[in-house]
């Protein structure tokens, strides 16, 4: 089966239409590249063809490269994986460069055939790098389309010439948001930014591209960098402007990545070194840096977790087999507070009819008004339209009347975190909705199996744990109670897919998975403050591990009264076995001081006009520093192991059923060092033996909470990795 079709019209314009069979979006493979190459040869070699338009047969142009291809290049090159990757890249560069040069004379730049890209919609990654090699890019005026280079988000960088071409096209400074942050834009904005050349009405896309091809002159199709006297926009590195850009970018990247993401550094190196040499050499430089990144374990782990496994989970990798489509038609949301309002919003945006219930009409309306405010903000930013807002709001009925739940096929409860209140609304809602309705609770701490007791149909009762703010956080944690049946799981997964969240499915145990791991991280940070460890050391140690926020900041954000509440409830549930008195000492004291976190304008940090200013000096007075501060590595090991060991225990106890969910959930749920690929990937990187060794030292110095779980010790003895043991991957070399 071929991915491209070829057609020459009466005027001599060849149209290459990219249309991967059986896929909703075009994805580039090496086979497809070769096919494209052969068709380009055919068009360039045919005297009757005057020019070429490359377009798509779908409503999007292309989603990007099939990242599995990179793994294959490595694997197929045997003992020389780096050579395999590099040669694969150079082969691709050769094809793109052939398109760019289009048969023109190397010296005179004359005699080439114009090649235009006509983007029907979204063009990401190689889907933009290929157009960048063409002579003019037309984009259909499709406001839903996204155009950009998102590679950096999965731990690589644009390696199909995108880095080299964009820097030469717009200058390093202007290219930075697209290359370094993976910023993607709708067509109109992409044209303003210079990513594409022209935005045209969708119905005229091909005609306009063809007309351009027929009218283009020799001069029109020579890239600026292939002309004599080319000057890099914004200045080459050794000009006053360029110098400032690169020195500044270097500092900015290190500040943002703390040096733990190899891709950002490599990207900058490729851009900088590439800017000092001729274009074709720059492509080789880009390919070398790209190869280096691909060979770094961090990139493979990020690609595995943030691309391959994230997508697998989104596509239902853990969905129970044989259960019919459970997509939600009508959703009931109980409780229109912070979470309920967010759940109603994302569901209405996904086209689901929502009944939003609260105790008073006023509270319910307030929940609905959250969607209104959100859509208004979207309109202001040009991301939504008044029609879209009306449509979203029309789907949300705010009421106090449970009878409105009739016909709902899913109910999500997000009332106060109180078992009695939850039991009451569960009974009321189940009585109002039909027999088939699935009931989900958004509890963050209460066991699902206990809450299910209030249900008449515990097999239809499940936990769907959202993270705050719902519209931003990508993860939902689906929790099976003891009696939860397969249809409830399928329903929760199909719902997650509708609202475009990434789901993980876990079993019922205290704090499920995400909170179970986050709480020890926060506690370890607080515990260290109580021991007199410099609070700044704690925070920086976390940031330098690649955590977006340090534990103390995170506690401030989620509030100290919440920490107190959870501590009290956990202590009551665990009794004598409760291990965190040293943590409680600090947070109870903070609460007494009224330092409840960001919302109170005072917590571990000080705040000025709502902005975090500095760590509160009162901490040092209350918990004076010992003579010597611990080494950075000790602090980092404590923070890391506190979370990672909890993830291993969750796996050992069967709370987690799949390490992929453990890794993806950790990154999306609480920002666990994304560069590492997640806790299990991180353990594989250092090796179980080294992990056990670190644990032994920490256990000796800090107590039993750092004892290596039996599973980890066993793996250390066998020299096994998690992905090897649980996913059947080959042992790391
Ligand atoms: P919230 O206090 O903002 O909202 C709760 C809402 O429930 C309020 O509007 C309240 O009026 C309403 N309510 C209370 N009793 C009711 C009843 N009998 N009938 C109808 N409505 C009733 O709380 P929240 O932060 O939205 O949390 C809701 C649930 O979500 C809790 O179980 C919480 O543990 C969980 N959760 C919260 C977060 C978070 O970050 N806030 C994250 C995940 C899960």
């Amino acid at each position: 089966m071929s991915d491209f079709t070829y057609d020459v019209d009466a005027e001599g314009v060849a149209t290459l239409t990219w249309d991967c069979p059986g896929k909703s979006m075009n994805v580039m493979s090496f086979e497809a590249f070769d096919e494209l190459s052969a068709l380009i040869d055919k068009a360039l070699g045919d005297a009757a063809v005057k020019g070429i338009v490359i377009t798509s047969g779908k409503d999007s142009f292309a989603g990007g490269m099939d990242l599995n291809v990179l793994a294959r290049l490595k694997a197929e090159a045997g003992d020389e994986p780096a050579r395999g990757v590099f040669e694969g890249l150079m082969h691709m560069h050769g094809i793109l460069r052939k398109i760019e040069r289009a048969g023109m004379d190397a010296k005179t730049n004359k005699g080439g055939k114009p090649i235009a890209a006509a983007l029907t919609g979204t063009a990401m990654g190689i889907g933009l790098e290929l157009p960048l090699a063409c002579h003019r890019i037309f984009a259909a005026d499709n406001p839903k389309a996204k155009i950009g280079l998102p590679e950096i988000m999965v731990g690589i960088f644009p390696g199909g010439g995108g880095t080299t071409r964009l820097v030469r096209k717009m200058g390093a400074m202007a290219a930075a948001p697209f290359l370094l942050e993976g910023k993607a834009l709708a067509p109109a904005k992409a044209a303003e930014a210079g990513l594409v050349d022209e935005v045209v009405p969708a119905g005229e896309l091909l005609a306009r591209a063809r007309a351009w091809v027929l009218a283009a002159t020799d001069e029109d199709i020579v890239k600026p960098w292939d002309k004599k006297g080319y000057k890099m926009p914004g200045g080459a590195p050794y000009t006053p402007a360029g110098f400032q850009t690169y020195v500044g970018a270097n500092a900015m990247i290190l500040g943002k990545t703390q040096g733990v993401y190899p891709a950002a550094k490599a990207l900058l190196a490729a851009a900088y070194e590439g800017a000092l040499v001729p274009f074709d050499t720059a492509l080789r430089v880009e390919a070398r840096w790209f190869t280096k990144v691909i060979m770094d374990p961090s990139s493979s782990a990020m690609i595995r977790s943030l691309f391959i496994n994230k997508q697998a989970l989104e596509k239902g990798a853990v969905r129970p087999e044989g259960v019919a489509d459970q997509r939600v038609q009508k959703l009931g949301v109980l409780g229109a507070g912070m979470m309920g309002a967010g759940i109603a919003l994302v569901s209405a945006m996904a086209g689901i009819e929502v009944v939003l219930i609260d105790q008073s009409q006023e509270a319910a309306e307030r929940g609905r008004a959250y969607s209104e405010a959100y859509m208004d903000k979207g309109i202001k930013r040009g991301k939504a339209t008044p029609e879209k807002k009306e449509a979203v709001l029309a789907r949300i009925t705010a009421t106090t009347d449970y009878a409105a739940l009739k016909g709902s096929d899913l109910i999500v409860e997000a009332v106060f975190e109180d078992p009695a209140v939850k039991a009451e609304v569960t009974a009321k809602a189940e009585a109002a909705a039909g027999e088939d309705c699935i009931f989900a609770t958004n509890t963050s701490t209460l066991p699902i199996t206990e809450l299910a007791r209030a249900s008449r149909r515990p097999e239809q009762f499940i936990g769907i744990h959202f993270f705050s703010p719902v519209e931003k956080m990508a993860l939902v944690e689906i929790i099976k109670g003891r009696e939860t049946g397969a249809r409830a799981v399928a329903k929760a997964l199909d719902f997650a897919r509708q609202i475009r969240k990434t789901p993980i499915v876990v079993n019922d145990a205290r704090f499920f998975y995400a909170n179970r791991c986050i709480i020890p991280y926060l506690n370890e940070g607080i515990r260290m403050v109580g021991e007199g460890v410099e609070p700044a050391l704690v925070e920086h140690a976390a940031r330098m591990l690649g955590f977006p926020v340090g534990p103390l900041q995170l506690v401030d954000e989620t509030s100290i009264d919440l920490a107190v509440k959870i501590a009290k409830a956990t202590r009551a549930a665990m009794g004598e076995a409760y291990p965190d008195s040293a943590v409680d000492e600090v947070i109870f004291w903070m609460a007494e001081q009224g330092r409840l976190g960001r919302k109170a304008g005072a917590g571990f940090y000080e705040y000025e006009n709502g902005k975090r200013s500095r760590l509160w000096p009162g901490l040092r007075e209350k918990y004076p520093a010992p003579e010597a501060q611990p080494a950075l590595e000790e602090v980092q090991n404590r923070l890391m192991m506190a979370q990672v060991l909890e993830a291993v225990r969750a796996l050992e106890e069967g709370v987690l059923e799949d390490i992929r969910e453990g890794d993806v959930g950790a990154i999306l749920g609480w920002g666990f060092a994304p560069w590492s690929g997640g806790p299990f990937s991180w353990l594989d990187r250092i090796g179980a033996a080294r992990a056990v060794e670190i644990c032994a030292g920490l256990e000796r110095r800090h107590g039993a909470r750092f004892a290596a779980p039996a599973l980890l010790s066993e793996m250390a003895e066998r020299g096994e990795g998690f992905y090897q043991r649980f996913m059947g991957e080959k042992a790391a070399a």
Side-chain angles (χ1 to χ4, degrees), residues 207-225:
R208 295 279 290 269
R210 285 184 183 132
W212 182 85
V213 160
L214 287 171
T217 63
D218 275 345
E219 175 74 11
D220 288 339
I221 68 168
V222 183
K223 288 291 170 69
W225 44 89

Short mmCIF file of all heavy atoms in Angstrom, two decimals, residues 207-225:
data_model
loop_
_atom_site.label_atom_id
_atom_site.label_comp_id
_atom_site.label_asym_id
_atom_site.label_seq_id
_atom_site.Cartn_x
_atom_site.Cartn_y
_atom_site.Cartn_z
N ALA A 207 -5.81 25.24 -5.72
CA ALA A 207 -5.78 26.15 -6.87
C ALA A 207 -4.72 27.22 -6.66
O ALA A 207 -3.94 27.55 -7.57
CB ALA A 207 -7.16 26.78 -7.07
N ARG A 208 -4.66 27.76 -5.44
CA ARG A 208 -3.70 28.82 -5.16
C ARG A 208 -2.26 28.30 -5.22
O ARG A 208 -1.36 28.95 -5.75
CB ARG A 208 -3.97 29.44 -3.78
CG ARG A 208 -5.31 30.16 -3.69
CD ARG A 208 -5.23 31.56 -4.29
NE ARG A 208 -4.43 32.44 -3.45
CZ ARG A 208 -4.91 33.19 -2.48
NH1 ARG A 208 -6.21 33.18 -2.21
NH2 ARG A 208 -4.12 33.98 -1.77
N ALA A 209 -2.07 27.11 -4.67
CA ALA A 209 -0.72 26.54 -4.68
C ALA A 209 -0.29 26.25 -6.12
O ALA A 209 0.84 26.55 -6.52
CB ALA A 209 -0.68 25.27 -3.84
N ARG A 210 -1.23 25.70 -6.91
CA ARG A 210 -0.89 25.38 -8.31
C ARG A 210 -0.59 26.66 -9.10
O ARG A 210 0.36 26.72 -9.89
CB ARG A 210 -2.04 24.64 -8.98
CG ARG A 210 -2.11 23.21 -8.51
CD ARG A 210 -3.20 22.43 -9.24
NE ARG A 210 -3.27 21.09 -8.71
CZ ARG A 210 -4.41 20.49 -8.35
NH1 ARG A 210 -5.57 21.10 -8.48
NH2 ARG A 210 -4.37 19.27 -7.87
N ALA A 211 -1.40 27.70 -8.85
CA ALA A 211 -1.19 28.95 -9.57
C ALA A 211 0.19 29.51 -9.24
O ALA A 211 0.91 30.00 -10.12
CB ALA A 211 -2.28 29.96 -9.19
N TRP A 212 0.57 29.40 -7.99
CA TRP A 212 1.89 29.91 -7.60
C TRP A 212 3.00 29.13 -8.31
O TRP A 212 3.95 29.71 -8.85
CB TRP A 212 2.08 29.84 -6.07
CG TRP A 212 3.40 30.41 -5.65
CD1 TRP A 212 3.68 31.72 -5.40
CD2 TRP A 212 4.65 29.69 -5.51
NE1 TRP A 212 5.02 31.86 -5.11
CE2 TRP A 212 5.63 30.63 -5.16
CE3 TRP A 212 5.02 28.35 -5.63
CZ2 TRP A 212 6.97 30.28 -4.93
CZ3 TRP A 212 6.33 27.99 -5.40
CH2 TRP A 212 7.30 28.95 -5.07
N VAL A 213 2.84 27.82 -8.31
CA VAL A 213 3.84 26.96 -8.94
C VAL A 213 4.03 27.35 -10.41
O VAL A 213 5.15 27.45 -10.92
CB VAL A 213 3.42 25.47 -8.81
CG1 VAL A 213 4.12 24.59 -9.83
CG2 VAL A 213 3.71 24.98 -7.39
N LEU A 214 2.89 27.61 -11.10
CA LEU A 214 2.97 27.92 -12.53
C LEU A 214 3.61 29.30 -12.77
O LEU A 214 4.24 29.52 -13.80
CB LEU A 214 1.58 27.87 -13.17
CG LEU A 214 1.04 26.43 -13.32
CD1 LEU A 214 -0.43 26.44 -13.75
CD2 LEU A 214 1.89 25.63 -14.33
N ALA A 215 3.45 30.19 -11.79
CA ALA A 215 3.94 31.55 -11.99
C ALA A 215 5.35 31.78 -11.44
O ALA A 215 5.98 32.79 -11.73
CB ALA A 215 2.97 32.54 -11.35
N ALA A 216 5.84 30.84 -10.61
CA ALA A 216 7.10 31.09 -9.90
C ALA A 216 8.28 31.20 -10.86
O ALA A 216 8.37 30.47 -11.85
CB ALA A 216 7.35 29.97 -8.89
N THR A 217 9.18 32.11 -10.55
CA THR A 217 10.38 32.29 -11.37
C THR A 217 11.55 31.52 -10.75
O THR A 217 11.45 31.06 -9.61
CB THR A 217 10.78 33.78 -11.40
OG1 THR A 217 11.11 34.15 -10.06
CG2 THR A 217 9.64 34.65 -11.90
N ASP A 218 12.65 31.45 -11.48
CA ASP A 218 13.86 30.81 -10.94
C ASP A 218 14.25 31.44 -9.61
O ASP A 218 14.60 30.76 -8.65
CB ASP A 218 15.03 30.97 -11.93
CG ASP A 218 15.01 29.87 -12.99
OD1 ASP A 218 14.29 28.86 -12.78
OD2 ASP A 218 15.70 30.03 -14.01
N GLU A 219 14.16 32.74 -9.57
CA GLU A 219 14.55 33.50 -8.38
C GLU A 219 13.66 33.13 -7.18
O GLU A 219 14.14 33.01 -6.05
CB GLU A 219 14.42 35.01 -8.72
CG GLU A 219 14.64 35.96 -7.57
CD GLU A 219 16.13 36.07 -7.20
OE1 GLU A 219 16.96 35.57 -7.96
OE2 GLU A 219 16.41 36.64 -6.12
N ASP A 220 12.37 32.93 -7.46
CA ASP A 220 11.40 32.64 -6.37
C ASP A 220 11.72 31.37 -5.60
O ASP A 220 11.28 31.19 -4.47
CB ASP A 220 9.97 32.48 -6.94
CG ASP A 220 9.39 33.81 -7.39
OD1 ASP A 220 9.88 34.85 -6.92
OD2 ASP A 220 8.44 33.80 -8.21
N ILE A 221 12.39 30.44 -6.28
CA ILE A 221 12.52 29.12 -5.63
C ILE A 221 13.90 28.87 -5.05
O ILE A 221 14.20 27.77 -4.60
CB ILE A 221 12.11 27.98 -6.60
CG1 ILE A 221 13.10 27.84 -7.75
CG2 ILE A 221 10.70 28.19 -7.13
CD1 ILE A 221 12.89 26.54 -8.54
N VAL A 222 14.74 29.89 -5.04
CA VAL A 222 16.05 29.69 -4.41
C VAL A 222 15.94 30.15 -2.96
O VAL A 222 15.52 31.27 -2.69
CB VAL A 222 17.14 30.48 -5.14
CG1 VAL A 222 18.50 30.19 -4.51
CG2 VAL A 222 17.15 30.12 -6.61
N LYS A 223 16.28 29.27 -2.04
CA LYS A 223 16.20 29.63 -0.62
C LYS A 223 17.25 30.70 -0.31
O LYS A 223 18.36 30.67 -0.88
CB LYS A 223 16.45 28.39 0.24
CG LYS A 223 15.30 27.40 0.23
CD LYS A 223 14.09 27.97 0.97
CE LYS A 223 12.84 27.14 0.80
NZ LYS A 223 12.91 25.85 1.47
N PRO A 224 16.94 31.60 0.58
CA PRO A 224 17.89 32.67 0.91
C PRO A 224 19.28 32.12 1.23
O PRO A 224 20.29 32.72 0.83
CB PRO A 224 17.28 33.34 2.15
CG PRO A 224 15.85 32.95 2.14
CD PRO A 224 15.71 31.69 1.36
N TRP A 225 19.32 30.99 1.92
CA TRP A 225 20.63 30.45 2.32
C TRP A 225 21.39 29.82 1.16
O TRP A 225 22.54 29.44 1.33
CB TRP A 225 20.51 29.45 3.47
CG TRP A 225 19.38 28.46 3.34
CD1 TRP A 225 19.43 27.26 2.72
CD2 TRP A 225 18.07 28.60 3.85
NE1 TRP A 225 18.21 26.64 2.81
CE2 TRP A 225 17.35 27.44 3.50
CE3 TRP A 225 17.41 29.62 4.57
CZ2 TRP A 225 16.02 27.25 3.84
CZ3 TRP A 225 16.08 29.42 4.92
CH2 TRP A 225 15.40 28.25 4.55
#
